[in-house]
Amino acid sequence: MLSSYSSLQNQLYHSSHFAFALLVLMVIVPRFIFTQTSSDRLEQFFSNFLRIILLYIIIGYVLVLTKLFEVLSIFVTLALIASSRYLRPSSTAERERIFQNIAVNFYNFLDAGFFLRDNWKKWRKMNVMNETFKITRANMHTKLVLPIVILFVFACSAYLRFYDSWMYAAPGMADGYVTLAWMKYIDARILFHDGIYPQGYDIVLSYLHKFAAIDALYVLKYAGPLNGILTMLGFYFVFSRLFKNSIAGIIAIAVYGLAGAGLFGDDWMRQASTNSQEFAFVFIFPTLYFSLRYAVENRRSDLINVFAGWTIIGLVHSIGYAFVSLGIGLIMLLIVLTQANNGWKTCLHLAGAGGISLVISLLPLIIGLLMHKELHQSSEKFLLGEVNVSPPHLHIWDMIGLSALFLILACSVVCKKTKTEQLYDRFAILFGILIFLLYEFGPSITHSEVLEARSRSLWVLTILFVIGVGWKSFWYLTEKLPYQKWIQLLVSVGLICLLIQSSRFQPIIPYKMEWESGVEQYLRIASLHPNKTWVIFSHNEGYDLALGKGYQQFIETLLKDYDPSQPGLTRFGQMKRDRNIPNNIYIYEEKNVFQVSKHNSIYPVLEKEYKKREQEMAQLKKWIHTYETHNKDLQTFYDDPNLRIYSIHVPETKQERQRKIWGH
């Protein structure tokens, strides 16, 4: 029997599988495919990460279209790509180096005892412990205290986001079920099942599902919170490398990770849910980082990374694509204004990368139209929807963001900075002002439902960016202050404590669409039977859960089509049970129909459905009573105050076994 969802044993088993898939796909595979472009490990990680995700999405689309999207075909494709750079005529030296390394490692393995003994003697002579202590003592700020603070912020932020994934099986928010189903459709090599929509994120989730070899529900639950942590890592990367101020990065990630609903508003719960928008946000600031770096250094590898990040966002979420395109457009404008004739070439390269990115981002739409698919109806309605709203009232975090913008502007005027630093400051100022104006006045002027619903998310990201740049600017003014680094660190620790206290450090629990016990029992049912040998009769949430593992039918179908006076499940007017129904049958009876809070924005949409479900449950009680009266095979599989699940097991007949073996 499957252990409880939240048990340590269960979570360790599934999270270790998920971590293994991440390690293989995001760390190990890129090392074999891409050459090293930076000596900075974090920069190299993001370079590989951007490139490999784009490669996975493109390979995924091709393999799904050709009906070849399986682990073996993915492995062969990646192996061919990884080996291609060693098979070129110009790669002779590289091939010789690899074979030499293999030979050296082989003989080192044979001489392992001598190798360890020799290195033990060298280690003792060097007095490694003493040297390490001296280095740590001399650089305690950067080598010891700073990493501890960073790890603390990441650990606290991860706890807030992953708590729901560890404790509750039910997917968060209505979008969670859509994402779960679309991931499974990609697994089944089906594109645009519910209409044309960017499916880059669903393809990435499907990769993780295939390599983790766990139920897709766990992949869904873990992947959503991970997006927030990766976004934080991206912020820290930008500030610690581009602005050379790790503490500014700490402040940015602390605000993102710990500020809570006071900053995010209703979007706070999305940090613990799985949505394509949050996945797109992971790539925005690393892409802007490489764009700014390319504007300064003109490195080809940076341009490739810009293209990769830009294209990923276009293949994942259109709002994120517009956001990052605006940022890169501003960088191009600043290049032209500040670099005279030399800037045009850089701009042309960035524009070319953007043009190719746009074409690739539009390819799924073109493919969908060629497949005679329609646009995803809900998304199309949302995109074209209009609302009448007034400019939003400014809150404390809006004022902090605007104050940070003023501080950056003041510092850029007062302080003498290099051209590179001026470029970064001007970008932060212009980008911050534009996104604020979009948030404050965009929805009321354009009446766009998209802007009304999503401009806050874009402004929140911008607030974090300008806070980090503002922090750097403030301490730039006081760079001659004694022990400035330690003062910065102490102030940042105090602000982190204030954030934790003000947000009350409450884990994020997104709203649910069904009883928690119902989802846990789905996992139990799926663990008891082979795939495609069971069916659940439930409401529509059960469809997304059972997809790919078993079957799901609606309660309405059970009531309308099946005669409770006949054994098994027999259709009205028939004498034999329905052979299209598996032998393991489960019926979900809600004693209390689950409903989202009446304060939830989706409640008015679901109110009619909830009334229908209450009527169906009343009819189901009668159906169950009749079935129990005439048949003896109905068992209570699970029972609690809100939910009862009945099971019917129909033994296989000889004819059914033969049909399984011979296919007829």
Side-chain angles (χ1 to χ4, degrees):
M1 178 177 174
L2 186 71
S3 60
S4 172
Y5 176 85
S6 60
S7 70
L8 181 61
Q9 175 189 351
N10 187 58
Q11 288 300 320
L12 281 177
Y13 175 83
H14 289 95
S15 59
S16 62
H17 278 240
F18 183 75
F20 170 78
L22 280 175
L23 179 66
V24 170
L25 291 169
M26 308 306 172
V27 179
I28 296 176
V29 170
R31 290 185 177 182
F32 285 98
I33 294 178
F34 306 120
T35 56
Q36 184 171 337
T37 58
S38 174
S39 58
D40 186 312
R41 289 186 179 181
L42 188 56
E43 183 175 285
Q44 185 63 45
F45 167 78
F46 273 102
S47 176
N48 286 347
F49 185 56
L50 292 172
R51 298 181 187 196
I52 199 65
I53 293 296
L54 177 60
L55 184 62
Y56 285 151
I57 293 174
I58 292 173
I59 291 173
Y61 268 114
V62 172
L63 293 182
V64 170
L65 282 169
T66 55
K67 306 299 181 183
L68 293 172
F69 190 64
E70 294 294 348
V71 172
L72 181 60
S73 59
I74 294 169
F75 176 79
V76 170
T77 304
L78 293 174
L80 289 172
I81 294 171
S83 61
S84 63
R85 67 177 177 140
Y86 303 113
L87 300 177
R88 293 191 294 266
S90 59
S91 302
T92 304
E94 185 74 11
R95 288 196 296 271
E96 290 178 355
R97 185 185 64 80
I98 291 172
F99 287 121
Q100 287 175 0
N101 285 341
I102 292 173
V104 169
N105 288 329
F106 174 73
Y107 287 112
N108 281 343
F109 175 76
L110 295 179
D111 295 331
F114 173 78
F115 176 77
L116 292 173
R117 185 171 61 253
D118 186 52
N119 279 279
W120 169 256
K121 291 178 180 178
K122 290 180 181 178
W123 180 83
R124 291 184 63 185
K125 289 179 181 178
M126 291 172 62
N127 199 2
V128 174
M129 287 298 291
N130 188 45
E131 291 297 320
T132 303
F133 175 75
K134 286 182 179 178
I135 293 171
T136 303
R137 183 173 59 185
N139 301 279
M140 187 174 291
H141 175 271
T142 54
K143 297 291 185 181
L144 180 63
V145 182
L146 205 61
I148 290 174
V149 176
I150 293 169
L151 288 174
F152 176 76
V153 173
F154 272 104
C156 291
S157 303
Y159 168 76
L160 295 179
R161 286 158 174 77
F162 278 96
Y163 181 87
D164 180 75
S165 300
W166 295 329
M167 301 303 295
Y168 303 109
M173 306 179 63
D175 291 347
Y177 289 87
V178 176
T179 305
L180 179 62
W182 288 2
M183 181 206 324
K184 292 183 176 183
Y185 286 134
I186 295 296
D187 277 350
R189 301 174 295 281
I190 300 171
L191 270 179
F192 312 126
H193 181 277
D194 298 325
I196 301 171
Y197 188 88
Q199 298 210 283
Y201 187 36
D202 309 301
I203 290 172
V204 173
L205 289 175
S206 185
Y207 274 94
L208 291 170
H209 179 218
K210 287 182 179 297
F211 280 80
I214 53 178
D215 194 287
L217 178 64
Y218 289 96
V219 175
L220 180 88
K221 294 290 289 186
Y222 296 147
L226 180 64
N227 290 336
I229 301 303
L230 289 174
T231 303
M232 290 172 59
L233 186 62
F235 271 114
Y236 179 76
F237 167 60
V238 170
F239 287 108
S240 61
R241 271 53 176 183
L242 196 68
F243 294 98
K244 311 299 182 185
N245 192 315
S246 296
I247 300 179
I250 291 174
I251 292 298
I253 65 174
V255 173
Y256 185 89
L258 304 171
L263 171 64
F264 287 87
D266 292 338
D267 280 355
W268 180 234
M269 73 173 64
R270 296 175 69 94
Q271 290 291 304
S273 305
T274 309
N275 300 284
S276 58
Q277 174 181 287
E278 278 60 43
F279 183 66
F281 287 174
V282 170
F283 303 92
I284 286 175
F285 282 95
T287 302
L288 293 176
Y289 165 88
F290 287 111
S291 301
L292 287 165
R293 251 267 300 272
Y294 181 71
V296 174
E297 299 182 14
N298 282 289
R299 289 172 50 185
R300 181 173 176 270
S301 60
D302 290 337
L303 182 62
I304 294 172
N305 292 336
V306 172
F307 166 74
W310 208 345
T311 309
I312 289 167
I313 298 168
L315 291 169
V316 170
H317 203 268
S318 55
I319 295 173
Y321 188 72
F323 184 61
V324 78
S325 298
L326 176 62
I328 297 175
L330 276 178
I331 293 170
M332 293 165 63
L333 176 63
L334 289 170
I335 292 171
V336 172
L337 294 176
T338 58
Q339 295 186 13
N341 294 331
N342 294 333
W344 284 104
K345 185 178 179 180
T346 302
C347 281
L348 285 174
H349 288 162
L350 284 172
I356 299 171
S357 167
L358 178 62
V359 171
I360 296 175
S361 300
L362 290 174
L363 280 178
L365 172 63
I366 297 169
I367 292 169
L369 293 174
L370 290 174
M371 295 169 65
H372 305 290
K373 299 283 187 178
E374 296 182 352
L375 296 177
H376 185 243
Q377 291 185 357
S378 298
S379 300
E380 183 181 13
K381 183 180 177 182
F382 178 57
L383 187 65
L384 301 176
E386 294 187 357
V387 291
N388 291 314
V389 292
S390 302
H393 297 291
L394 298 183
H395 299 290
I396 181 65
W397 283 108
D398 302 320
M399 300 305 295
I400 291 173
L402 293 174
S403 300
L405 278 173
F406 177 78
L407 183 60
I408 300 165
L409 179 61
C411 183
S412 66
V413 172
V414 173
C415 301
K416 291 183 179 181
K417 295 189 175 184
T418 64
K419 287 185 177 180
T420 298
E421 291 173 328
Q422 289 174 358
L423 173 67
Y424 298 162
D425 284 354
R426 288 166 183 168
F427 170 73
I429 293 166
L430 288 175
F431 194 55
I433 291 172
L434 279 175
I435 299 303
F436 171 72
L437 293 175
L438 181 72
Y439 162 67
E440 184 67 15
F441 303 108
S444 59
I445 293 173
T446 65
H447 305 292
S448 169
E449 185 178 356
V450 171
L451 284 181
E452 190 276 329
R454 295 290 178 259
S455 60
R456 177 69 191 178
S457 301
L458 306 182
W459 172 231
V460 165
L461 290 179
T462 311
I463 287 174
L464 299 168
F465 181 64
V466 298
I467 283 176
V469 181
W471 177 275
K472 176 188 176 296
S473 298
F474 175 78
W475 292 101
Y476 193 94
L477 294 168
T478 59
E479 60 182 347
K480 295 183 179 180
L481 189 70
Y483 304 106
Q484 192 225 44
K485 287 185 177 180
W486 283 104
I487 295 172
Q488 269 200 76
L489 190 58
L490 288 173
V491 173
S492 67
V493 170
L495 290 174
I496 291 167
C497 295
L498 182 63
L499 281 169
I500 292 174
Q501 189 275 332
S502 62
S503 65
R504 300 182 181 179
F505 203 61
Q506 293 294 319
I508 308 168
I509 310 294
Y511 73 84
K512 310 296 183 182
M513 298 296 292
E514 61 180 313
W515 295 114
E516 169 69 15
S517 56
V519 183
E520 288 204 20
Q521 293 310 305
Y522 148 73
L523 291 170
R524 179 185 168 196
I525 292 167
S527 71
L528 291 174
H529 308 291
N531 289 355
K532 307 295 185 179
T533 62
W534 53 272
V535 61
I536 58 174
F537 284 85
S538 65
H539 300 305
N540 59 320
E541 290 83 10
Y543 172 81
D544 302 315
L545 294 172
L547 182 64
K549 301 285 285 186
Y551 298 97
Q552 187 267 351
Q553 295 281 348
F554 295 115
I555 295 294
E556 181 182 17
T557 303
L558 179 71
L559 299 173
K560 285 174 57 180
D561 295 350
Y562 293 97
D563 186 351
S565 65
Q566 298 295 323
L569 286 188
T570 305
R571 290 181 175 273
F572 284 107
Q574 301 292 321
M575 299 302 296
K576 295 182 179 179
R577 67 176 294 270
D578 187 352
R579 293 178 62 185
N580 293 318
I581 295 293
N583 296 71
N584 301 294
I585 303 158
Y586 296 89
I587 302 170
Y588 278 53
E589 179 195 355
E590 287 187 281
K591 300 176 184 178
N592 301 298
V593 171
F594 183 91
Q595 299 185 22
V596 300
S597 168
K598 292 185 178 180
H599 301 292
N600 194 309
S601 61
I602 68 170
Y603 179 81
V605 179
L606 295 172
E607 186 176 9
K608 186 177 179 181
E609 172 66 18
Y610 289 146
K611 291 180 179 178
K612 178 188 173 187
R613 291 182 181 186
E614 288 174 347
Q615 294 172 357
E616 287 178 350
M617 288 301 105
Q619 296 173 36
L620 181 61
K621 284 184 179 181
K622 297 178 181 178
W623 192 98
I624 292 293
H625 177 74
T626 304
Y627 190 93
E628 285 182 314
T629 303
H630 293 86
N631 303 283
K632 304 300 181 184
D633 57 352
L634 187 72
Q635 304 292 326
T636 299
F637 179 77
Y638 176 81
D639 195 9
D640 71 24
N642 295 309
L643 178 69
R644 180 182 291 121
I645 302 175
Y646 297 98
S647 67
I648 301 172
H649 174 70
V650 181
E652 281 188 337
T653 64
K654 182 178 180 181
Q655 291 78 8
E656 287 174 332
R657 285 195 296 271
Q658 289 178 342
R659 184 157 61 97
K660 280 186 178 180
I661 295 171
W662 303 107
H664 59 80

